[in-house]
C-alpha cells in the first residue's frame, strides 16, 4: 500500500461492491461459515483445527506467505457475530482483488490466520457460552474445554507476532463522559497485576492508536478503551502474558441493531491494522496516544421513557432488549431494566412522557425485570426494534 490513508485504498473504496453479502443477520449459523470457507478456499488454505464439545468442526483459513504472522479468532462468544462479518468482508474483498498488486504486496509481507467461529456450538445456539456452559474467555489457563485447547494448539503451532481477539460488546456502553455510544472499543490487555506496559503490550497499544486515528474519520467520538484490569483466565491477558502483542476488539452499538454499520467500522480498523503490519508504520504511535482514547462507561439503555407518571410518582423507565434466537433470526425482546431517576443515563431511543397517558402491558404490576408485551402512549403503540 502506498498511501497510509486507507480510505483512498482500493480495498476500502470497493467495500459496498464487494462486502460479504450472503450474511446480513446478527445470527450466523456454522453452516454459513462452512460455505463461506469453501468459497474463500481459492485465496487461502482452510484447515480443520479440531472440534467443539458437540463435535462441530473448527476451521481456520490462512492467507499469505509473509514472515509477519497475525492470528485472529472471532465468536469465542457465540452471540458476538459482528467481527465475524467484518472478517468475511475482508476475505470477500481480497477475493475480489486477488490478482491485484495490492493483494500481492500485502500477502508477501504477512501471513494472516483466522478462526471465524471458535465456539460453533455457541454460535448455533446464539449463546455466549460453549455447549458445556463454560465461558471460553475465562478458560485460558485451565484449557478445560475442547475449543480452548484448539485455540491454544493453533497459537503454539503458528507462533503469531500479533493476536486479534474479536468480540461484540453490549448496547450499554458509552464513551466516558459523553452521550456517544462506544461503537468500537479496543484494549491492549494487561499481562500482570501491575498492568505493566511491556514491549509486546506497547505494540498492541501502537496498533490500536493507529486504528483509533483511522476510525475517528468514520465514527468520530464513538471509540472507547476497554477496562484493563488483569485476569489471567482471559485469553487476551494470557497471550499477552506469553509475550505476544494481543488486541481486544469490541464491536458495539452505533445506530443499527443489525450492527452492519459497526461491521464496516471494524473492517476499516482491520484494514488499517494490516496496513500497519505491512509498512510497520505503527512504530510511530505512542503509548500516550493509546491512553488518550477515552475509556468505556456503562451509561446507555436501549429505551428510556422520561418522566413517566407511575401511580402518584414521576419516574424514568429504562427498557433493555434481550436478544433471543427465533426461527433463524435474532429477536429483541424488551423488558424493564430500571425504574428510577435516570438523568445521568442516555438511551438509543428516548421519549418524553410527562403529561402523556402511558400504559405498559395490561394488568401486570410494573417492576424491574418484567417483560414488556406492549406500551401504549396516548393510545398509540410504541414500536420496538425488528428482528434481524
Ligand atoms: Zn465476548
Amino acid at each position: 500500500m502506498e498511501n497510509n490513508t486507507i480510505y483512498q485504498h482500493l480495498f476500502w473504496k470497493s467495500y459496498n461492491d464487494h462486502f460479504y453479502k450472503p450474511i446480513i443477520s446478527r445470527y450466523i449459523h456454522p453452516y454459513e461459515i462452512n460455505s463461506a470457507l469453501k468459497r474463500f478456499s481459492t485465496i487461502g488454505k482452510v484447515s480443520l483445527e479440531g472440534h467443539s464439545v458437540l463435535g462441530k468442526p473448527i476451521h481456520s483459513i490462512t492467507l499469505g506467505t509473509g514472515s509477519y504472522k497475525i492470528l485472529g479468532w472471532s465468536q469465542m462468544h457465540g452471540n458476538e457475530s459482528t467481527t465475524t462479518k467484518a472478517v468475511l468482508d475482508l476475505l470477500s474483498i481480497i477475493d475480489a482483488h486477488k490478482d491485484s498488486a495490492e493483494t500481492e504486496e500485502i500477502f508477501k509481507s504477512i501471513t494472516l490466520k483466522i478462526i471465524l467461529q471458535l465456539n460453533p456450538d455457541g454460535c448455533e445456539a446464539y449463546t455466549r457460552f460453549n455447549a458445556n456452559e463454560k465461558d471460553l474467555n475465562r478458560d485460558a489457563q485451565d484449557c478445560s474445554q475442547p475449543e480452548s485447547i484448539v485455540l491454544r494448539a493453533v497459537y503454539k503451532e503458528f507462533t503469531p507476532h500479533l493476536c486479534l481477539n474479536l468480540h461484540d460488546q453490549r448496547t450499554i456502553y458509552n464513551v466516558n463522559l459523553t452521550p456517544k455510544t462506544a461503537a468500537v472499543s479496543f484494549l491492549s490487555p494487561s499481562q500482570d497485576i501491575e498492568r505493566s506496559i511491556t514491549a509486546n503490550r506497547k505494540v498492541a497499544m501502537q496498533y490500536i492508536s493507529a486504528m483509533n486515528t483511522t476510525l475517528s474519520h468514520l465514527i468520530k467520538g464513538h471509540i472507547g478503551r476497554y477496562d484493563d484490569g488483569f485476569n489471567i483466565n482471559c485469553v487476551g491477558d494470557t497471550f499477552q502474558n506469553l509475550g505476544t502483542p494481543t488486541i481486544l476488539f469490541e464491536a458495539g452499538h452505533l445506530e443499527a441493531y443489525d450492527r452492519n454499520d459497526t461491521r464496516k467500522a471494524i473492517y476499516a480498523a482491520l484494514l488499517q491494522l494490516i496496513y500497519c503490519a505491512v509498512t510497520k508504520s505503527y512504530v510511530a504511535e505512542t503509548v500516550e496516544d493509546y491512553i488518550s482514547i477515552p475509556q468505556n462507561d456503562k451509561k446507555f439503555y436501549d429505551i428510556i421513557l422520561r418522566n413517566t407518571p407511575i401511580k402518584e410518582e414521576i419516574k424514568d423507565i429504562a427498557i433493555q432488549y434481550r436478544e433471543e434466537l427465533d426461527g433463524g433470526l435474532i429477536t429483541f425482546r424488551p423488558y424493564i431494566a430500571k425504574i428510577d431517576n435516570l438523568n445521568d443515563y442516555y438511551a438509543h431511543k428516548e421519549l418524553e412522557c410527562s403529561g402523556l397517558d402511558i400504559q405498559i402491558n395490561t394488568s401486570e404490576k410494573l417492576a424491574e425485570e418484567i417483560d414488556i408485551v406492549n406500551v401504549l402512549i396516548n393510545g398509540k403503540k410504541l414500536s420496538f426494534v425488528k428482528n434481524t
Side-chain angles (χ1 to χ4, degrees):
M1 287 185 222
E2 288 298 317
N3 194 327
N4 73 357
T5 311
I6 59 128
Y7 299 118
Q8 303 306 317
H9 195 269
L10 173 68
F11 283 15
W12 177 257
K13 291 200 280 194
S14 63
Y15 183 86
N16 289 341
D17 290 333
H18 295 302
F19 75 92
Y20 191 69
K21 296 185 175 104
I23 298 178
I24 297 300
S25 170
R26 282 282 283 274
Y27 182 64
I28 309 177
H29 192 283
Y31 74 69
E32 296 179 273
I33 293 300
N34 293 339
S35 60
L37 288 174
K38 213 168 272 173
R39 173 171 156 187
F40 298 129
S41 61
T42 51
I43 54 165
K45 181 174 181 289
V46 177
S47 307
L48 177 65
E49 303 290 1
H51 293 88
S52 66
V53 171
L54 299 179
K56 288 190 191 66
I58 300 171
H59 289 108
S60 68
I61 182 164
T62 307
L63 289 78
T65 54
S67 59
Y68 189 82
K69 294 182 280 184
I70 303 172
L71 172 64
W73 58 92
S74 190
Q75 279 187 285
M76 153 183 289
H77 294 140
N79 58 351
E80 298 177 359
S81 61
T82 304
T83 49
T84 305
K85 289 189 281 184
V87 172
L88 287 168
D89 292 342
L90 180 66
L91 295 173
S92 179
I93 289 161
I94 291 166
D95 185 36
H97 303 294
K98 58 175 175 282
D99 300 320
S100 72
E102 283 87 346
T103 304
E104 194 192 334
E105 186 189 348
I106 292 169
F107 290 105
K108 72 176 189 223
S109 172
I110 67 167
T111 300
L112 176 65
K113 185 190 274 286
I114 302 260
I115 298 171
L116 283 155
Q117 287 187 331
L118 181 63
N119 174 12
D121 298 334
C123 294
E124 181 173 23
Y126 200 72
T127 59
R128 177 180 179 88
F129 305 106
N130 77 346
N132 288 331
E133 297 191 7
K134 285 281 183 331
D135 185 340
L136 300 178
N137 207 22
R138 299 293 179 272
D139 192 42
Q141 289 296 309
D142 295 345
C143 279
S144 67
Q145 301 303 304
E147 298 87 356
S148 308
I149 294 167
V150 166
L151 180 60
R152 184 59 79 93
V154 171
Y155 171 82
K156 258 186 155 167
E157 204 211 316
F158 186 59
T159 58
H161 299 93
L162 179 66
C163 284
L164 316 178
N165 187 11
L166 302 165
H167 292 255
D168 268 61
Q169 63 188 358
R170 287 173 291 162
T171 58
I172 58 174
Y173 292 102
N174 67 310
V175 173
N176 196 24
L177 304 175
T178 78
K180 294 208 168 191
T181 64
V184 176
S185 298
F186 294 109
L187 174 69
S188 172
S190 299
Q191 68 189 77
D192 53 36
I193 204 88
E194 297 81 19
R195 308 181 192 192
S196 313
I197 299 174
T198 56
N200 51 287
R201 191 171 179 220
K202 181 182 170 188
V203 169
M205 289 176 174
Q206 289 172 311
Y207 273 102
I208 291 169
S209 170
M211 292 189 285
N212 175 52
T213 303
T214 299
L215 288 184
S216 298
H217 296 284
L218 194 66
I219 51 167
K220 191 174 170 56
H222 287 280
I223 306 137
R225 186 161 50 89
Y226 216 79
D227 172 54
D228 71 348
F230 175 64
N231 182 349
I232 194 69
N233 297 311
C234 297
V235 173
D237 304 46
T238 285
F239 287 175
Q240 193 93 275
N241 182 266
L242 292 170
T244 310
T246 301
I247 300 170
L248 173 71
F249 288 68
E250 294 279 356
H253 184 87
L254 190 57
E255 287 176 2
Y257 279 81
D258 62 19
R259 295 199 173 179
N260 286 318
D261 45 9
T262 317
R263 158 192 189 166
K264 192 173 178 179
I266 295 285
Y267 172 75
L270 289 172
L271 208 51
Q272 182 60 63
L273 177 138
I274 288 171
Y275 171 80
C276 284
V278 170
T279 62
K280 303 287 172 257
S281 61
Y282 66 88
V283 298
E285 308 288 333
T286 67
V287 171
E288 289 70 31
D289 294 332
Y290 170 81
I291 304 283
S292 74
I293 302 170
Q295 284 199 280
N296 269 15
D297 195 6
K298 298 177 187 171
K299 284 281 191 284
F300 263 96
Y301 288 104
D302 287 311
I303 302 171
I304 295 180
L305 307 177
R306 297 274 181 205
N307 303 311
T308 309
I310 304 172
K311 292 176 206 148
E312 304 304 307
E313 287 184 292
I314 300 289
K315 296 266 192 191
D316 300 325
I317 299 179
I319 297 172
Q320 278 296 110
Y321 292 117
R322 279 191 191 98
E323 295 171 19
E324 287 173 14
L325 177 61
D326 185 5
L329 290 174
I330 303 309
T331 299
F332 297 87
R333 299 205 192 282
Y335 69 97
I336 296 179
K338 198 84 188 161
I339 302 175
D340 206 342
N341 175 340
L342 298 172
N343 282 341
D344 295 337
Y345 287 82
Y346 313 106
H348 306 304
K349 176 171 176 170
E350 301 207 21
L351 292 159
E352 175 55 54
C353 295
S354 62
L356 302 181
D357 177 42
I358 309 292
Q359 198 186 337
I360 300 178
N361 297 348
T362 38
S363 53
E364 227 163 348
K365 240 181 79 186
L366 279 194
E368 291 175 5
E369 298 300 320
I370 67 161
D371 289 337
I372 291 177
V373 182
N374 65 52
V375 176
L376 294 175
I377 301 175
N378 278 357
K380 195 167 171 272
K381 222 173 168 182
L382 175 66
S383 65
F384 295 110
V385 170
K386 300 272 181 293
N387 58 12
T388 172

